[in-house]
Amino acid sequence: MKILTGKEVAESLQEELKNKIAENNIHPTLCVLKFGNNKSDESYLKGIMNTFNKIGINVSLIEIENNNLSNYELWSLIEDKVNNNKDVDGCIILNSDNLYLQEKVNMYISNLKDVDLSSNINYLKKLINKNYKDEALPCTAEAVIKLLDYYNINVDGANVTIIGRSQRVGAPLFIELTSRN
């Protein structure tokens, strides 16, 4: 059995991205929508900010403490701060404990700015067309695929067990792995 470590893979990918950003003289900005005070999100957010700033990607944080926004207030906020903001190239959403709110955000976020397949449109396109946005998978699912590729692990014809079927990890990973067969 071989233990796969992500540190070497992450460093390689970060260097590659840093070089691409420098070569193309671009200054991308990722918007992070953070709802509520979920403590587990703090560590994830800190990692995003540190890593992205190191490679030349600006991070814009929008913290939404009020989980009682009306549909219109939530839609307006996302339209103004993300969808229609020309300075924002992509957006990632840190899960809300409020499932109703999370579903609304998934409906309102533009599929053009969604980098984690959170928008309902992107998710459905991925389900229907396995080759949709070949390079785009939710972050954790993408990390698993990058690990497999980095270590040249061929899953063609293999029996693979995926624990969980979430919209952001299990289901997209299932789709990606089966499309490789």
Side-chain angles (χ1 to χ4, degrees):
M1 179 166 74
K2 182 175 189 174
I3 296 176
L4 310 180
T5 59
K7 185 176 181 181
E8 186 179 326
V9 180
E11 288 171 352
S12 171
L13 291 171
Q14 288 168 19
E15 192 60 34
E16 182 182 325
L17 279 173
K18 187 176 182 177
N19 291 336
K20 282 183 181 179
I21 289 168
E23 286 170 13
N24 293 299
N25 193 29
I26 56 175
H27 308 283
T29 298
L30 174 74
C31 176
V32 178
L33 284 176
K34 180 180 178 284
F35 293 89
N37 293 322
N38 188 337
K39 296 297 178 197
S40 64
D41 287 343
E42 294 301 321
S43 157
Y44 189 64
L45 178 60
K46 186 177 177 183
I48 289 173
M49 296 184 101
N50 289 338
T51 301
F52 281 45
N53 286 326
K54 272 195 304 192
I55 62 175
I57 298 174
N58 301 315
V59 178
S60 167
L61 174 63
I62 300 173
E63 293 185 271
I64 302 164
E65 300 294 330
N66 182 2
N67 279 343
N68 296 317
L69 294 173
S70 71
N71 287 340
Y72 178 77
E73 290 169 322
L74 181 62
W75 174 82
S76 292
L77 180 123
I78 291 172
E79 282 294 301
D80 293 342
K81 303 283 185 184
V82 180
N83 295 345
N84 294 326
N85 186 341
K86 292 179 179 165
D87 294 328
V88 171
D89 298 291
C91 181
I92 190 168
I93 303 156
L94 296 186
N95 284 338
S96 168
D97 292 336
N98 182 330
L99 294 177
Y100 176 78
L101 180 66
Q102 184 69 42
E103 284 303 311
K104 291 296 179 188
V105 172
N106 291 349
M107 283 183 0
Y108 299 152
I109 196 78
S110 166
N111 64 308
L112 301 174
K113 301 260 178 137
D114 172 27
V115 298
D116 206 20
L117 260 65
S118 296
S119 76
N120 292 341
I121 291 171
N122 283 347
Y123 184 68
L124 289 172
K125 283 181 180 177
K126 187 69 176 176
L127 284 174
I128 294 166
N129 178 5
K130 293 177 182 175
N131 296 321
Y132 170 71
K133 285 177 89 174
D134 286 329
E135 298 301 317
L137 282 173
C139 298
T140 305
E142 179 78 16
V144 171
I145 296 299
K146 293 290 185 189
L147 274 170
L148 293 172
D149 290 346
Y150 185 84
Y151 288 104
N152 295 315
I153 297 173
N154 184 0
V155 295
D156 193 25
N159 291 322
V160 176
T161 301
I162 298 172
I163 313 249
R165 56 188 158 95
S166 68
Q167 180 175 340
R168 290 204 181 156
V169 183
L173 194 52
F174 169 79
I175 292 166
E176 187 65 23
L177 290 174
T178 55
S179 73
R180 289 177 166 220
N181 226 350

